[in-house]
Amino acid sequence: MGKKSQHDKPLAQNKKASHDYFIEDTYEAGMVLTGTEIKSLRTGRANLNDSFATIRNGEIFLHNMHISPFEQGNRHNPSDPTRARKLLLHKEQIHKLLGLTKRDGYTLVPLKVYVRNGYAKCLIGYGKGKKLYDKRESDAKRDAQRDIQRILREKQKNV
């Protein structure tokens, strides 16, 4: 049986991140979750919209990630679905990210959440926010590329 791809089947994905940020580098971080949170995450009941990561006291925390409470959960079900969740990275990576985010306009953005080898992982992107004209430019490039592909498909059909 062949190896699976690096990031297969994301359980939650932040699709607006590439629209709002220039992502320069990515890091894979483990997530500290409760038992009912991981069960709810595996059923795809998570949302990364408006979430962000911060570094406090040498630790990285993920804020505003919404994981819906598990229906069959017990009394240990977390009452706050958007609580801050700790991310697990090596100390050298945390120090590097701390230095990089001190630069003006740079931030840590969660890109996707997935399960690998039974552990919940979060792909964190380090990037700079786009200005409005940058967003318009990337939209124009995407539209032009779409038009080119459509014309090529039409030519292929006519041949």
Side-chain angles (χ1 to χ4, degrees):
M1 196 149 120
K3 268 194 158 187
K4 293 184 179 179
S5 65
Q6 175 115 5
H7 305 293
D8 51 326
K9 194 173 182 262
L11 302 173
Q13 197 165 12
N14 190 352
K15 295 182 181 179
K16 286 190 71 173
S18 61
H19 183 262
D20 293 339
Y21 299 94
F22 292 113
I23 303 298
E24 295 184 9
D25 201 7
T26 59
Y27 294 89
E28 182 182 72
M31 296 179 70
V32 178
L33 299 172
T34 64
T36 55
E37 281 180 328
I38 189 67
K39 287 180 180 184
S40 185
L41 185 71
R42 286 178 193 258
T43 60
R45 300 193 47 163
N47 188 354
L48 280 176
N49 294 345
D50 300 328
S51 59
F52 60 97
T54 59
I55 301 175
R56 286 193 321 244
N57 300 328
E59 297 177 334
I60 296 184
F61 290 94
L62 184 61
H63 300 276
N64 287 349
M65 178 184 172
H66 188 277
I67 298 179
S68 298
F70 191 59
E71 292 92 15
Q72 291 83 29
N74 54 13
R75 63 182 172 188
H76 301 293
N77 231 356
S79 59
D80 184 17
T82 59
R83 70 180 180 88
R85 293 170 177 87
K86 186 175 176 181
L87 297 178
L88 306 172
L89 282 173
H90 293 286
K91 192 173 283 195
E92 298 85 26
Q93 291 175 325
I94 294 173
H95 289 306
K96 181 180 177 182
L97 286 173
L98 181 62
L100 290 173
T101 55
K102 292 285 185 190
R103 294 168 46 192
D104 193 31
Y106 284 87
T107 186
L108 296 175
V109 181
L111 301 174
K112 65 173 85 168
V113 175
Y114 51 93
V115 174
R116 177 178 297 156
N117 298 333
Y119 296 103
K121 303 287 183 177
C122 182
L123 189 67
I124 297 291
Y126 156 75
K128 184 172 179 137
K130 287 185 182 180
K131 304 282 188 215
L132 183 62
Y133 57 85
D134 292 328
K135 293 178 188 179
R136 287 181 185 149
E137 182 180 320
S138 59
D139 288 344
K141 283 182 184 177
R142 187 185 68 233
D143 292 342
Q145 191 66 29
R146 188 181 303 139
D147 291 341
I148 291 170
Q149 291 298 323
R150 183 180 45 81
I151 291 169
L152 287 175
R153 276 196 308 268
E154 288 175 3
K155 280 189 176 186
Q156 197 71 19
K157 284 182 180 179
N158 293 339
V159 172

